[in-house]
Amino acid sequence: HLWVRPPRASTDAPVPAELDRVLERAMAKAPEQRFADARSFLAAFQAATFARLTSVGRPGQDALAMHVEVQAPLVSGDEAVRADVERVLALASRAASAAGWAALMESGDGMLAAAACPDLGARRAAVNAVLDLAAAIGARAGAHSLVSARIRLHLDRAERIEDWLPAAGGSGVLASPAVVDQLDLDVEPVGDEVQVAVPASRRWRDG
């Protein structure tokens, strides 16, 4: 405790590397190297937590957020269920990375990612990437009957994306109306959102 350097949080959890530096300073051995007060620590903590948003888009610019949630029985100890949950999350993570989405949050059953959408073309490309992901999830090998995935899309200003929390319920690909505006997609109203049909003609090769 007197001299060993604390482990980095990012080695054990999917958190931004910027958070490592904040926590290392907060736990510095020498008091003069720590934050002066709780207010300065909180400010640095919040800045590090949302540091990835700087790669999503400029303030005032539109950004598209994607929340992927894997739904499976909480009480199930079935290894096949767990393996399929991880399979779906791996597909989502790979697809987001390939499409240039910024990963804002990852957990054991979901992820939140966002991409800048400064114009209609960028939004169309982002939504197409999501539909490809949905097709890949639906066609994945080894799919378990108890495992399903829900993808929600939300369009907002880049600086407000971190405040978005998806509503509960629903399945498949759901989106706020602004997401699909002018995209000529097959949609069906579901409350305040729309259900987006994944075209059967879509093909997505794993790997």
Side-chain angles (χ1 to χ4, degrees):
H1 288 297
L2 293 176
W3 58 271
V4 175
R5 183 175 182 175
R8 293 187 171 184
S10 61
T11 62
D12 297 312
V15 299
E18 292 85 355
L19 192 58
D20 286 332
R21 292 186 282 274
V22 173
L23 296 179
E24 285 174 0
R25 181 178 174 187
M27 295 187 291
K29 306 302 180 184
E32 64 273 11
Q33 294 178 356
R34 301 174 199 155
F35 290 96
D37 50 44
R39 188 182 301 276
S40 57
F41 167 70
L42 180 60
F45 184 89
Q46 290 176 329
T49 302
F50 299 120
R52 299 183 192 187
L53 286 173
T54 58
S55 62
V56 173
R58 299 186 304 274
Q61 184 182 72
D62 281 343
L64 185 66
M66 171 182 70
H67 183 263
V68 179
E69 180 184 2
V70 185
Q71 300 166 321
L74 295 176
V75 296
S76 175
D78 191 336
E79 180 65 20
V81 170
R82 185 192 64 79
D84 196 31
V85 169
E86 292 181 355
R87 190 177 297 116
V88 173
L89 291 176
L91 284 171
S93 181
R94 266 208 317 273
S97 178
W101 291 61
L104 305 181
M105 179 209 74
E106 296 176 80
S107 67
D109 64 354
M111 70 172 294
L112 175 66
C117 287
D119 53 42
L120 181 62
R123 177 156 51 90
R124 179 180 288 109
V127 172
N128 280 334
V130 172
L131 294 177
D132 284 342
L133 169 60
I137 291 174
R140 71 191 183 281
H144 197 288
S145 60
L146 296 179
V147 178
S148 62
R150 182 189 71 185
I151 303 177
R152 262 194 166 90
L153 300 173
H154 178 71
L155 188 70
D156 207 337
R157 298 302 184 189
E159 66 271 19
R160 293 204 299 253
I161 287 296
E162 74 269 24
D163 296 327
W164 176 63
L165 292 175
S171 61
V173 179
L174 297 159
S176 56
V179 171
V180 299
D181 183 42
Q182 302 182 61
L183 293 188
D184 192 28
L185 294 171
D186 184 9
V187 301
E188 181 178 342
V190 179
D192 294 334
E193 299 176 302
V194 294
Q195 179 106 33
V196 185
V198 179
S201 60
R202 282 184 178 272
R203 295 292 181 266
W204 194 90
R205 274 182 284 180
D206 191 3

